[in-house]
Amino acid sequence: MLVGLMALAGGVGASRAQVVLSSPIPGVQPAPRGANASVGGGAGPAGAVPAGTGAGVHSPNSPFAPLVERGDVVPWSVLTQVRTRVENKRIVPVFEAAQTGLNQKTQRIQGFMLPLEPGERVRHFLLSSVPLTCSFCTPGGPESMVEVRARTAIKATLDVLVVEGKFAVLKDDPYGLYYRITDAVAVK
């Protein structure tokens, strides 16, 4: 996840180090995530972060309002229900029919923009299920982000953004991403 984002920005390659998640809820102990930890709806190790908490879930302490469910966009609950497995010393996603059925079709996604290039208007960014609250942290794993390649530059915003474009389910992305939208446009 973070390693993949660092690679997108021209950084380092994959690492076997574990990443410890911080929990937004006081008193809940975060679980380490590594090659043996489960992402998404799979069964996790003993002491895993309880459902509805942890990275990729909107913190009740966030200054930003959570996403309001819309019938015209793919819900994050569908995108985040991805299991993983280790294959050739890499963690790879295991998609269900709900995700693979979206592949290579025009879809709408709503989320919070994380620009991957400088400027007031950007064409390359991540759309996340939760807002970015730290400049140095990813708000969740690859299951809670969609890489966006826009047709024309879109004004950078902290508000909820809805984009529409050709959706791709990525089974073996070199950056560790699970989803991408290309030829995207902002919609209301």
Side-chain angles (χ1 to χ4, degrees):
M1 99 184 114
L2 181 57
V3 173
L5 292 176
M6 292 170 70
L8 270 176
V12 299
S15 163
R16 293 186 52 98
Q18 286 190 341
V19 177
V20 176
L21 303 175
S22 60
S23 174
I25 300 176
V28 174
Q29 289 296 325
R33 281 178 73 179
N36 296 326
S38 176
V39 175
V49 175
T53 65
V57 176
H58 197 92
S59 169
N61 300 324
S62 175
F64 301 98
L67 294 172
V68 175
E69 297 250 348
R70 290 176 49 152
D72 63 335
V73 300
V74 176
W76 284 102
S77 60
V78 170
L79 299 179
T80 57
Q81 293 302 312
V82 178
R83 293 178 293 112
T84 60
R85 72 171 183 267
V86 177
E87 184 177 289
N88 295 326
K89 298 182 182 180
R90 293 185 58 211
I91 298 173
V92 295
V94 178
F95 297 105
E96 303 292 331
Q99 294 95 25
T100 57
L102 303 170
N103 195 38
Q104 301 304 314
K105 296 178 182 167
T106 299
Q107 304 291 345
R108 284 187 177 183
I109 305 289
Q110 73 171 336
F112 299 93
M113 179 187 274
L114 288 72
L116 294 174
E117 60 189 18
E120 287 185 27
R121 301 182 70 77
V122 295
R123 292 184 63 185
H124 189 206
F125 56 94
L126 296 175
L127 203 61
S128 173
S129 62
V130 296
L132 183 67
T133 56
C134 169
S135 302
F136 305 101
C137 307
T138 57
E143 73 283 355
S144 64
M145 293 182 255
V146 174
E147 180 186 20
V148 178
R149 296 283 185 161
R151 183 181 307 160
T152 59
I154 297 172
K155 183 172 175 32
T157 181
L158 294 174
D159 294 328
V160 174
L161 175 67
V162 178
V163 296
E164 180 179 271
K166 187 173 183 180
F167 191 82
V169 176
L170 310 172
K171 295 182 182 192
D172 193 23
D173 184 70
Y175 299 118
L177 296 169
Y178 292 177
Y179 308 110
R180 178 176 296 126
I181 289 185
T182 55
D183 203 28
V185 295
V187 295
K188 297 248 180 212

